[in-house]
Amino acid sequence: RPAAATSSSSGGPSTAPALRPPPTAPPAHTGGARPPRHVAAYDPSVPRTGRWTAEEIAFRDELIGHFLEGNLPLGSGTKLSDFLPGLLKSKQSRLAKKMKNAKLSTKFFRPRLGRIPTASDASRLASLESSFLSSVSDPLERAELSFHMSREWRGHLASPCPPPGG
């Protein structure tokens, strides 16, 4: 490597070794292990993006069925395009891409029972929700999503709903 010229205290040029780039081999104190690659950390304020898992699709489809039948504890007039992204913590554009012909923004909730009709239907929905949560590989994201969904359901349950048919 060529030496870099600097000025000395006597005013004349002197030579000093040039700075070298960092070594390509890992330092000896790391035991030879390379430093870990930067992995983006999960950010709970960012809606879910990316591919849909089969479990998420099954849970979403079951929710849509109960929504359209009026068998969820939701207020009358709730838009499907607001309910699904809110519960699934997903971007609306992600839902719109997956369900191009569903016209999500034109579907409004009209309560019939205002609850899941049978114990077996409720058990099926709970099982699909559990499978969906289990399909989320990042444990922090899974815990946050589970907490978020519980909070969303509590919010819907706490909101006053008009009586069915009213």
Side-chain angles (χ1 to χ4, degrees):
R1 259 186 203 258
T6 62
S7 42
S8 68
S9 59
S10 63
S14 69
T15 58
L19 294 176
R20 293 186 205 161
T24 56
H29 68 276
T30 64
R34 294 216 179 267
R37 290 187 308 152
H38 175 71
V39 177
Y42 170 69
D43 182 353
S45 67
V46 176
R48 292 171 46 80
T49 60
R51 290 195 167 272
W52 289 74
T53 64
E55 296 84 358
E56 185 175 15
I57 292 169
F59 180 53
R60 180 209 62 204
D61 289 349
E62 189 76 7
L63 284 171
I64 291 172
H66 286 294
F67 183 96
L68 296 176
E69 292 168 5
N71 297 335
L72 290 173
L74 302 174
S76 182
T78 301
K79 275 181 159 181
L80 184 57
S81 62
D82 293 333
F83 168 67
L84 278 179
L87 185 67
L88 299 175
K89 199 170 183 196
S90 179
K91 293 179 95 173
Q92 281 191 344
S93 60
R94 182 173 180 249
L95 278 161
K97 277 184 194 175
K98 188 67 177 175
M99 305 177 68
K100 289 179 184 149
N101 300 319
K103 299 181 181 174
L104 299 176
S105 62
T106 64
K107 309 280 195 249
F108 293 88
F109 186 74
R110 302 286 177 243
R112 289 199 184 124
L113 287 177
R115 62 176 172 78
I116 306 295
T118 66
S120 64
D121 287 340
S123 178
R124 174 173 165 69
L125 185 62
S127 175
L128 289 169
E129 180 181 22
S130 178
S131 293
F132 161 51
L133 290 170
S134 295
S135 74
V136 177
S137 59
D138 182 318
L140 181 60
E141 182 180 4
R142 183 174 44 249
E144 164 61 28
L145 186 58
S146 176
F147 175 78
H148 171 81
M149 290 172 66
S150 295
R151 187 178 59 214
E152 287 287 312
W153 281 123
R154 281 192 309 273
H156 290 300
L157 290 169
S159 297
C161 295

